[in-house]
Amino acid sequence: MLRLRRRQPPSHDAGDFLADVSLFAQLPASARADLARGARWVYLPAGSYLFREGDPADDLAVVWSGRLEVLRQIDPKGHEQEVVGTFARGATVGELSLLTSEPRSASVRALRDTELLVVNAAVFERVMLREPGLGLAVARALAQRLRHGYGSLKHPDTPHTIAIIPFDPGLPIQRFLDRFIQTVAQYGGVVVAEEADDNGMPDGRPTGITHGDSAERREQRWAARLDRLEDDFSFVLLVSRHPTVDLAWTRFCLRSADRVLFMLRAGAPPAAVAKDDRALGRDLVFVSSALKTEQIAPARRHLQPRALHHLPDDGGFDAAVDRIARRMTKHAIGLVFSGGGARGLAHIGVIERLQDAGIEIDRAGGCSAGAMAAAMVAAGWSADEILEICRRELVDHKPFSDFTVPREGLIKGKRVSGMLERIFGDVCIEELARPLFVVSADLASGELTVHREGLLRDAVLASMSIPGLMPPVRLDGRLLVDGGLLDNFPVDVMRELDEGPVIGIDVMRQFPLAEAERGPASKGLKDAIGPGIISTLARAMVLGGRSRAEQNRADADLLITPDVHNIGLFDFDRIDDATEAGRRAADEALACGLPWE
């Protein structure tokens, strides 16, 4: 056990506290009193280790307040660790090593400021020899651990404590909080905690803080108070309205929250505040009516946030706050579109039905044709607008018809590039109303590239560039082609942020050749570069990722598969048939209800 900072015992009696701990609940009061007399109270600041993997087993600890995380080494040198579980109030830590006399099998670190009751190993062993019930309880805990591993200790994954840290004068923080609370309250009880509330608990009991309290003592009281709030409410919002003035409170919020929202208009939070953030769960909310990349860049470089949010301070404010709240509490619906050429036009019909049903789409992603559909959803366009754009650009302008003598591809790709420029202009992905990702494949590294920032039209072009048909896209030192080569239906990419349920629309599940794809049987040059070759290239590209696509289909919370098997991959003139197929598939899927409701 590492040397820990001692603290004065809380008013709560140690023996009474042990009576509420499952490991000791069945012991006689005299045995718990013996354990309490041989224990000491310690305070473990966030980020500090209780012990490390391989340390000798010399004590056990009981969590009074705060939270600990269990880490296992994943490389022989111990440079990398993975979190395998968490301990919250009332959990016992280290008793199994005492029983087996083996070195610690994992490291334990304070996830937030934590108070512990630490029991000496000799005292524990003496009581266990006298009280068979304690040995039996430890044996049961060991059996459960062997059966379920540390995963059985995991704290619920949904963020319960969210810190909201506004920067820049004039931010609409109260308006944001009022709407945020209203939305979060749909999923459970919510309470706001600010430093100004520190002189009293929600039930009116004084905390006893005086002007002479030390900074450490005050933070200990904040930690204990947070623990009680988390017991009583599903969501706790830690708010620091003046982060650079109330620096101690701000840093406590950063250390204690499951997720942190930095609110600003541009630039980056002051280093004095941001440096204490433990690099996990940071989100950036940019308040701006017309968000531009240059506003975002400094904060992204400085903080490397988990996610970005756009909050317009004029029209659409409430809808944007609702979207942020759903993303933060893992209730945000994501829409993932597969690639599939002209079959992807069925996505339009699905979008129409989802919008008609009033289903709020909070984030979007896709591959190839699905990348284009996802980008238009993320831009906030209606299904009617998307249909009109696709009819004009894909049917009337025929962007895939600028054939050339093959060098890098059968077509020049300039018409496709021009189409995307007309549709998306100079908009960057991070400027969109909703978060978006599209995927491409890097020919040089053989790895999947996930585009979450940069010029939107470039990312969609890379995702649509079928190798052999179109030239690769050179972007940021990479050589990029259609993402369908590696992940044609990227539900797994959407899952990575873990922000809520995922609806997947897959237009390539049915794989038979449409009649138009077979091509004529004559021998001329025109036939040689006709739909038969193009279809072959497109199909060969997605074959390698079929097993991944099958897994992604299983991972979607709601899977919609339009029947478009009779539509050729480049039959864009069948836009009405494809759209109608999307409508029918969506109607059938929605008739069964949303599985997460």
Side-chain angles (χ1 to χ4, degrees):
M1 181 81 65
L2 299 182
R3 185 181 299 275
L4 306 173
R5 290 155 62 180
R6 296 178 64 87
R7 54 147 292 182
Q8 293 296 317
S11 59
H12 194 96
D13 179 76
D16 292 342
F17 171 51
L18 292 178
D20 295 330
V21 177
S22 59
L23 195 65
F24 308 114
Q26 302 304 315
L27 293 180
S30 60
R32 290 196 297 270
D34 286 346
L35 289 170
R37 281 192 293 271
R40 68 190 190 279
W41 291 97
V42 298
Y43 171 64
L44 191 65
S48 303
Y49 280 85
L50 180 62
F51 51 75
R52 295 178 184 269
E53 189 172 340
D55 284 352
D58 50 6
D59 289 316
L60 73 90
V62 187
V63 180
W64 158 252
S65 68
R67 197 174 301 166
L68 303 173
E69 59 183 354
V70 185
L71 304 106
R72 279 261 175 83
Q73 294 180 5
I74 57 176
D75 73 300
K77 296 182 179 180
H79 295 154
E80 294 186 48
Q81 301 180 101
E82 64 174 342
V83 177
V84 295
T86 60
F87 293 106
R89 177 177 167 84
T92 53
V93 185
E95 74 280 5
L96 303 185
S97 291
L98 293 185
L99 185 67
T100 61
S101 298
E102 295 288 334
R104 304 295 188 186
S105 61
S107 299
V108 173
R109 181 174 64 189
L111 189 59
R112 61 172 61 160
D113 292 359
T114 302
E115 294 177 294
L116 303 155
L117 182 64
V118 178
V119 180
N120 180 267
V123 175
F124 180 81
E125 184 176 350
R126 184 172 66 245
V127 173
M128 187 169 62
L129 290 174
R130 193 178 75 228
E131 298 291 343
L134 180 55
L136 181 60
V138 174
R140 286 172 176 165
L142 176 60
Q144 182 181 22
R145 188 75 50 80
L146 290 172
R147 184 178 303 115
H148 301 293
Y150 281 103
S152 61
L153 304 172
K154 284 189 177 180
H155 196 77
D157 288 334
T158 300
H160 290 277
T161 300
I162 301 170
I164 300 175
I165 317 292
F167 297 95
D168 301 333
L171 286 175
I173 180 60
Q174 191 58 53
R175 182 184 176 192
F176 176 86
L177 280 173
D178 291 343
R179 186 69 186 195
F180 192 87
I181 292 168
Q182 180 181 332
T183 304
V184 171
Q186 300 175 40
Y187 312 115
V190 58
V191 64
V192 175
E194 301 188 48
E195 187 182 9
D197 304 329
D198 197 45
N199 288 324
M201 294 299 295
D203 60 4
R205 289 179 290 135
T207 62
I209 292 178
T210 65
H211 182 72
D213 277 339
S214 68
E216 180 179 310
R217 181 64 174 157
R218 191 167 52 153
E219 290 181 6
Q220 291 168 5
R221 291 184 184 277
W222 288 340
R225 176 170 177 262
L226 175 58
D227 243 49
R228 289 190 285 272
L229 291 176
E230 287 183 324
D231 286 342
D232 296 336
F233 296 90
S234 298
F235 301 98
V236 180
L237 307 183
L238 301 175
V239 180
S240 180
R241 293 178 185 262
H242 308 288
T244 55
V245 176
D246 301 325
L247 195 55
W249 170 250
T250 302
R251 289 176 174 173
F252 172 80
C253 294
L254 294 174
R255 295 195 306 271
S256 303
D258 301 316
R259 191 74 52 79
V260 177
L261 272 180
F262 287 120
M263 295 181 63
L264 61 164
R265 291 191 185 277
V273 171
K275 69 177 182 180
D276 277 346
D277 191 349
R278 298 187 55 226
L280 296 175
R282 289 180 294 199
D283 285 44
L284 292 176
V285 178
F286 285 94
V287 183
S288 175
S289 297
L291 191 63
K292 294 299 179 183
T293 301
E294 52 268 24
Q295 296 174 264
I296 303 170
R300 295 193 73 164
R301 287 194 302 268
H302 185 62
L303 293 175
Q304 297 182 338
R306 185 198 70 91
L308 295 175
H309 307 268
H310 181 197
L311 180 61
D313 52 6
D314 48 11
F317 182 93
D318 288 351
V321 176
D322 293 345
R323 186 159 48 249
I324 294 169
R326 288 191 294 266
R327 292 179 65 191
M328 295 292 287
T329 58
K330 299 191 177 184
H331 290 87
I333 296 176
L335 207 54
V336 178
F337 302 92
S338 79
R343 294 176 179 182
L345 295 169
H347 295 319
I348 303 171
V350 176
I351 295 167
E352 177 187 296
R353 288 298 196 251
L354 294 177
Q355 291 178 345
D356 289 346
I359 297 173
E360 291 289 345
I361 304 303
D362 296 311
R363 52 216 174 102
C367 175
S368 196
M372 183 171 165
M376 290 190 279
V377 169
W381 297 336
S382 69
D384 287 343
E385 290 173 316
I386 295 171
L387 180 61
E388 179 182 349
I389 291 169
C390 289
R391 191 184 301 279
R392 180 180 67 244
E393 296 293 346
L394 292 171
V395 180
D396 297 342
H397 289 171
K398 302 185 187 320
F400 294 95
S401 61
D402 54 345
F403 294 107
T404 184
V405 176
R407 182 167 175 249
E408 290 182 308
L410 293 175
I411 65 174
K412 297 176 184 178
K414 290 184 178 180
R415 291 187 181 179
V416 177
S417 180
M419 171 188 73
L420 297 176
E421 186 172 359
R422 286 192 298 274
I423 295 173
F424 300 118
D426 294 327
V427 172
C428 290
I429 295 175
E430 57 268 40
E431 298 170 356
L432 295 170
R434 292 169 178 79
L436 168 75
F437 75 86
V438 302
V439 298
S440 64
D442 187 347
L443 285 181
S445 68
E447 296 178 346
L448 187 74
T449 298
V450 181
H451 303 264
R452 299 187 189 273
E453 59 183 283
L455 206 56
L456 176 57
R457 67 174 189 255
D458 286 349
V460 176
L461 179 63
S463 188
M464 295 177 65
S465 295
I466 299 173
L469 174 65
M470 293 173 59
V473 174
R474 290 166 173 81
L475 187 63
D476 298 329
R478 292 170 293 182
L479 198 61
L480 304 176
V481 295
D482 195 310
L485 195 65
L486 298 175
D487 195 353
N488 193 54
F489 189 35
V491 172
D492 50 342
V493 178
M494 178 70 79
R495 285 283 188 204
E496 287 176 2
L497 283 184
D498 193 20
E499 291 185 335
V502 177
I503 300 175
I505 304 100
D506 184 13
V507 297
M508 286 297 283
R509 189 173 198 179
Q510 298 162 317
F511 223 62
L513 284 171
E515 188 61 34
E517 292 182 289
R518 301 180 185 277
S522 59
K523 301 177 182 179
L525 178 61
K526 179 179 178 181
D527 295 333
I529 60 174
I533 290 178
I534 294 175
S535 176
T536 299
L537 290 172
R539 286 173 167 276
M541 182 193 65
V542 300
L543 278 174
R546 291 204 72 189
S547 60
R548 186 170 185 172
E550 285 297 332
Q551 181 58 52
N552 284 338
R553 280 189 278 270
D555 286 344
D557 295 286
L558 178 64
L559 179 64
I560 301 176
T561 55
D563 184 2
V564 286
H565 72 278
N566 282 325
I567 296 177
L569 294 178
F570 290 86
D571 283 349
F572 291 104
D573 57 344
R574 295 190 61 186
I575 185 171
D576 293 322
D577 294 336
T579 302
E580 184 58 33
R583 295 187 185 110
R584 289 194 300 269
D587 288 342
E588 182 178 343
L590 294 176
C592 302
L594 300 176
W596 52 87
E597 291 186 346

